[in-house]
Amino acid sequence: MTDYTLDSRGDVGAWVREAAMTSLMEVTLCVVGTAPQLLSPDLVNGMMCSLAQQSAEKIDRYRAHAGSVFVRLLHSNNPAVPHIPHREELLAIFPTEGAESLNWNAPSQAFPHITQLLRLPQYQYHTLLGLTVSVGGLTESTVRFSSQSLFDHLMLIQQDPAALGQFSDALLRVFRHNLRNDRVSIPFLKMLDQMLARACFDTFTTDQDHQFCVVLLSLCKEEIKKSKDTRKLRSAIAVFCGLIQFQGEVRKKVLFQLLLLLCHRFPVIRKTTASQVYEMLLTYDDVIDPDVMDDVMTSLSDTNWEEDVATVRTHRNQLCDWLGVQKPQLVAKGPVQ
């Protein structure tokens, strides 16, 4: 169920995942009736978590198949599949009497149910991994309903520091485990941008150099290092602008990254950065000294950031002085051997 092979036809790995889910269900139901001792807790846990991930992903057909397999194994009682984590909680989310009426193909029905698995520690990571590609995807209905369900969950845990901390840890693990894996990392950045824009981690922003922001910034830097993918870079710029709401030295580091991008080799990235930083400073007016605010905003808006790098570097360095951020240093290239 981890085959995400792509070719000119698209996600051909989905055929393998679908066949794997079907086989998994048939073999499990066979084994549970003949040799249930083979179904160890670790095996069943991995199986159900993988199905939960597939049940939260973006392609309707395969999400529906995964959801139906997940519910079929959960409701199997002749005999029951042993060692299913959080069985009672799952039965409350997917009651037997409502199983057939749930349309997994419809994002409006599927996501409000599957996001409830985020409350269950065993399923949280895999459900969030599946949701990442849905929330950060392209299909409007999938994005809308998956996002709404995710943010509804985040609203519920805002006043629960332990739950929010657990969620943020899972979020960082998803990012860390999928660095440079564009299938996940680009949607992740888009999802993260939405979370930051909605102040989902507002309770963290009052702490100086909160570890969540520090680690997130480090992972974002690693993700875009030497990247030429403009989609990824644009998404990262939006995330950096969202991270500015955090307090402490990390704010200076975020500003440094944004100022670095003002001299990126791609003119479109320089222009995008300037535009987003301008909007960021309008939103978070405590970032810079009011005495230089007008100068900074004028420079960002009036400079032609699509000119050659040598020209825009002068403007960028002036911004560094106004913002009190260290100027990025040019790295000297070694002699050609």
Side-chain angles (χ1 to χ4, degrees), residues 281 287-300 318-324:
L281 294 175
V287 173
I288 59 174
D289 187 335
D291 292 340
V292 298
M293 183 71 161
D294 288 344
D295 292 330
V296 169
M297 302 302 268
T298 300
S299 178
L300 287 169
Q318 178 62 68
L319 285 170
C320 289
D321 291 337
W322 283 328
L323 295 171

Side-chain angles (χ1 to χ4, degrees), residues 15 28 37 47 68 84 112 147-148 161 168-169 181 245 251 276 282 292 319 322 335:
W15 303 336
T28 301
Q37 68 277 10
M47 175 177 71
S68 64
I84 292 180
S147 299
Q148 188 58 56
S168 63
D169 287 344
N181 174 9
Q245 62 193 280
R251 176 176 278 188
Q276 297 231 21
L282 289 176
V292 298
L319 285 170
W322 283 328

Side-chain angles (χ1 to χ4, degrees), residues 60 201 231 323:
D60 293 347
F201 305 105
R231 290 181 308 148
L323 295 171

Side-chain angles (χ1 to χ4, degrees), residues 32-59:
V32 77
T34 56
Q37 68 277 10
L38 295 177
L39 297 172
S40 67
D42 286 345
L43 182 64
V44 175
N45 178 70
M47 175 177 71
M48 296 303 287
C49 286
S50 293
L51 287 169
Q53 176 186 331
Q54 296 298 320
S55 301
E57 291 204 352
K58 61 183 179 179
I59 303 176

